[in-house]
Amino acid sequence: DTGVSQDPRHKITKRGQNVTFRCDPISEHNRLYWYRQTLGQGPEFLTYFQNEAQLEKSRLLSDRFSAERPKGSFSTLEIQRTEQGDSAMYLCASSKTGGDSPLHFGNGTRLTVT
Amino acid sequence: RKEVEQDPGPFNVPEGATVAFNCTYSNSASQSFFWYRQDCRKEPKLLMSVYSSGNEDGRFTAQLNRASQYISLLIRDSKLSDSATYLCVVTYTGGFKTIFGAGTRLFVKA
């Protein structure tokens, strides 16, 4: 068990560019989550996958955001036409099925939009 | 109103003190409850689950009051290493909708 892995750790991009982040969950976990966190706030839910199916997407997620988990393993989060307000830490987490299964987080990808 | 609310603090306490954090949640259908710890610029890490009967893990005690929709965390004999942000977490809808509070900051000083 190598834990949840995210790549890259840091990303600096210019406004208007597209960025893509990757998350590799713990191998036996079938649930995968994306969260966004800004300074002084708790993680905000963005979207959730059960295996390859995207079951919920937050209203926080504009049409510029898209996430995939094509084979039920790793996931990608893409932000198109980035804006300065997208600057945040993007956290990926995974868990086993079951309401009492806690989330295990990756180290996050820190995005800075200049 | 936020779904999960916490006192943001900060709480500044001396080593050895006992400190308690509270958290309220708005959705009565909430199913599972956790406390996470987050160090500065790091990812959140599970501290402990919270059970209806209350549970203890060393110096940490968590309590749940479903009637009042209220969760608490008690830290006894605070250590410098306890300095962190403590996040209250609530799940519902079959366990996949997991909502975090904004966190309570704790500073333990020598």
Side-chain angles (χ1 to χ4, degrees):
Chain A
D1 178 3
T2 58
V4 178
S5 176
Q6 290 189 247
D7 183 71
R9 293 290 305 274
H10 304 275
K11 179 70 177 179
I12 300 174
T13 191
K14 291 185 177 181
R15 189 174 52 193
Q17 298 294 305
N18 299 343
V19 294
T20 299
F21 310 142
R22 176 180 170 123
C23 172
D24 288 88
I26 293 171
S27 57
E28 63 266 29
H29 288 181
N30 54 5
R31 291 184 172 181
L32 187 147
Y33 306 75
W34 284 99
Y35 285 83
R36 178 173 65 191
Q37 187 174 27
T38 53
L39 197 62
Q41 300 299 314
E44 292 178 294
F45 172 79
L46 294 179
T47 191
Y48 154 78
F49 291 85
Q50 172 94 3
N51 299 313
E52 67 275 9
Q54 187 174 18
L55 296 187
E56 185 161 340
K57 189 173 172 178
S58 167
R59 287 169 292 175
L60 292 174
L61 231 56
S62 73
D63 291 342
R64 297 183 298 107
F65 288 72
S66 62
E68 293 182 344
R69 194 182 182 197
K71 296 181 180 179
S73 56
F74 74 91
S75 175
T76 58
L77 177 68
E78 181 183 16
I79 309 174
Q80 296 182 324
R81 305 181 303 282
T82 52
E83 301 173 356
Q84 288 187 319
D86 297 333
S87 295
M89 174 74 88
Y90 290 83
L91 292 161
C92 176
S94 69
S95 75
K96 296 179 182 180
T97 304
D100 59 351
S101 297
L103 272 58
H104 298 262
F105 282 88
N107 292 329
T109 294
R110 184 168 297 280
L111 172 67
T112 302
V113 182
T114 61
Chain B
R1 183 185 172 190
K2 291 184 178 180
E3 292 184 85
V4 179
E5 296 206 62
Q6 296 183 248
D7 182 343
F11 285 65
N12 293 287
V13 302
E15 270 188 298
T18 295
V19 62
F21 305 139
N22 300 322
C23 169
T24 58
Y25 59 95
S26 60
N27 191 324
S28 60
S30 298
Q31 296 176 290
S32 300
F33 309 88
F34 306 92
W35 283 101
Y36 277 68
R37 171 196 168 123
Q38 187 171 28
D39 294 298
C40 189
R41 301 181 80 84
K42 300 283 190 180
E43 75 276 17
K45 292 187 177 178
L46 178 68
L47 179 66
M48 59 196 301
S49 302
V50 186
Y51 302 117
S52 296
S53 55
N55 50 299
E56 188 174 306
D57 183 0
R59 298 181 292 108
F60 298 84
T61 300
Q63 297 278 354
L64 167 63
N65 184 323
R66 285 189 182 270
S68 301
Q69 297 181 197
Y70 168 96
I71 304 159
S72 66
L73 177 68
L74 183 77
I75 305 175
R76 291 182 300 278
D77 189 23
S78 299
K79 311 292 185 191
L80 294 175
S81 58
D82 293 333
S83 297
T85 296
Y86 291 83
L87 298 162
C88 174
V89 182
V90 172
T91 72
Y92 54 97
T93 320
F96 74 83
K97 188 149 188 175
T98 302
I99 306 297
F100 285 75
T104 298
R105 297 190 70 189
L106 173 66
F107 294 101
V108 181
K109 54 187 186 296

